[in-house]
Amino acid sequence: MPRYQFSLYEIKIRRVRDKAYLPVSKFGAQRIDLVAAYSQFLDEELKGAGKKIDRGERYLRLRDAEVDFRTVWFTVESGRYGVPGKIVETDTGTDAYEIDVDDAASYPLRQALIVPNVGEYALWATELVGHASALGGLSISLRDWFRKKYESERLIVEINHFQDTNAWNEFIDRASLNEITYVVHEQDSDGAVGGRVQEHKVKAVRRSRLPSAWIKRALERKLPADTVFSAQQLPEADEIRMQIETDGRQRTIVVGHDLPRFMYEIEDTSGSAPSDETFRSGVLSEVGASLEYMRVDRRTWQK
């Protein structure tokens, strides 16, 4: 799978027990702009020493942030604590230092919040590097902060997967399947979940392509592991990841226990970590294409 990717989520605002969504650029009695509110959230919750989140033993810290018209670009350092261990120099096998139970190995992950000045949703692009993600920590923190901040007006935020279904269906219909991975999160002896990740992977090779029909079967959760692998009695997968390709453009689909997640590769031909410019260009390209398809005027979110 691609090492550097991002996925898109939509953020909406409503009142408790009210199904109607509010304009993201002027919500509440004071007609607050989500660009300003989100910037305040980053300053109050994640600046300085960062934030420990007991649910899931997550840690977040704001590295940098800037506002460009209707977009908040920012980077957070994300990690997990709660399990002691050590850092090992892999070339020599030498133990570098111990990881205490309150330490978190954190990773810088880039983010973007795009808030059109009309409409009822904002788009959030969040970077994934390997298995590292800030999605859970940021979602929990924003929901908790928002609920407390606007408790008097009973305002809450909803965060959901964003996908342009028609565009994705067209991409999938024409796609070839390059790789499929069944992922199992193993349970530790003490009952903790997620300490180890087991992957069973199959890649397409030049003379043996993977069946394209597997894509839709996996999306429908009708592709058991024994259809793909010759080994019997594999553990039930927590998620299935598929790398697909159409006209040289690669995408990743993750099928888990909730709705499928669609992820976009951050392309960089240098072989190193993609630059900030590459990340921003990829995000603006996909966001722009999706909003244009949904007839959202580009002038509402970009200069």
Side-chain angles (χ1 to χ4, degrees), residues 98-242:
E98 299 291 323
I99 299 177
D100 189 47
V101 68
D102 290 322
D103 293 339
S106 63
Y107 303 89
L109 299 166
R110 292 167 289 198
Q111 318 289 320
L113 180 74
I114 298 94
V115 185
N117 58 28
V118 297
E120 299 169 350
Y121 63 85
L123 293 186
W124 169 29
T126 179
E127 184 179 31
L128 300 96
V129 180
H131 291 290
S133 167
L135 171 63
L138 278 171
S139 297
I140 292 170
S141 296
L142 178 62
R143 289 191 185 104
D144 289 350
W145 178 86
F146 203 92
R147 177 176 48 81
K148 294 174 184 177
K149 190 73 173 178
Y150 303 107
E151 185 174 12
S152 62
E153 295 190 61
R154 299 172 61 82
L155 298 177
I156 58 174
V157 293
E158 290 185 0
I159 303 172
N160 298 300
H161 302 300
F162 175 82
Q163 57 200 55
D164 182 341
T165 305
N166 291 331
W168 266 101
N169 286 340
E170 182 181 346
F171 191 95
I172 290 168
D173 287 342
R174 300 164 51 208
S176 59
L177 179 60
N178 292 343
E179 181 179 309
I180 186 167
T181 304
Y182 284 68
V183 181
V184 179
H185 297 282
E186 294 184 313
Q187 188 172 16
D188 291 336
S189 58
D190 63 359
V193 177
R196 296 184 301 275
V197 177
Q198 184 183 136
E199 294 187 352
H200 304 275
K201 181 181 303 184
V202 175
K203 291 184 177 182
V205 295
R206 184 172 299 176
R207 296 183 180 179
S208 178
R209 306 295 296 177
L210 298 179
S212 296
W214 283 0
I215 300 173
K216 289 192 174 181
R217 288 183 62 185
L219 286 171
E220 295 169 355
R221 296 174 176 81
K222 295 180 180 179
L223 190 67
D226 57 13
T227 302
V228 178
F229 303 96
S230 57
Q232 299 297 312
Q233 296 181 336
L234 290 176
E236 182 179 355
D238 292 295
E239 61 184 35
I240 302 173
R241 299 179 182 176
M242 295 180 287

Side-chain angles (χ1 to χ4, degrees), residues 30-102:
Q30 298 181 1
R31 300 171 68 84
I32 300 166
D33 188 346
L34 184 58
V35 170
Y38 201 93
S39 298
Q40 187 178 7
F41 156 70
L42 293 176
D43 286 343
E44 293 182 0
E45 292 291 292
L46 306 184
K47 239 181 181 180
K51 180 180 180 66
K52 290 177 68 174
I53 305 167
D54 292 337
R55 279 179 283 170
E57 297 179 324
R58 297 175 170 94
Y59 172 77
L60 289 172
R61 181 170 63 183
L62 181 67
R63 172 181 282 195
D64 54 61
E66 67 171 289
V67 176
D68 181 11
F69 189 46
R70 305 299 303 167
T71 301
V72 183
W73 299 100
F74 62 104
T75 302
V76 294
E77 296 172 349
S78 174
R80 288 179 181 267
Y81 63 93
V83 179
K86 59 185 176 182
I87 299 296
V88 178
E89 294 180 1
T90 56
D91 288 336
T92 64
T94 304
D95 293 349
Y97 56 88
E98 299 291 323
I99 299 177
D100 189 47
V101 68
D102 290 322

Side-chain angles (χ1 to χ4, degrees), residues 69-71 114-118 280-281 283-303:
F69 189 46
R70 305 299 303 167
T71 301
I114 298 94
V115 185
N117 58 28
V118 297
R280 294 187 179 196
S281 176
V283 167
L284 292 176
S285 175
E286 296 299 339
V287 168
S290 296
L291 292 179
E292 183 178 350
Y293 187 87
M294 299 172 70
R295 302 184 185 279
V296 177
D297 193 325
R298 184 174 291 270
R299 291 172 296 181
T300 65
W301 62 275
Q302 193 175 37
K303 288 181 180 178

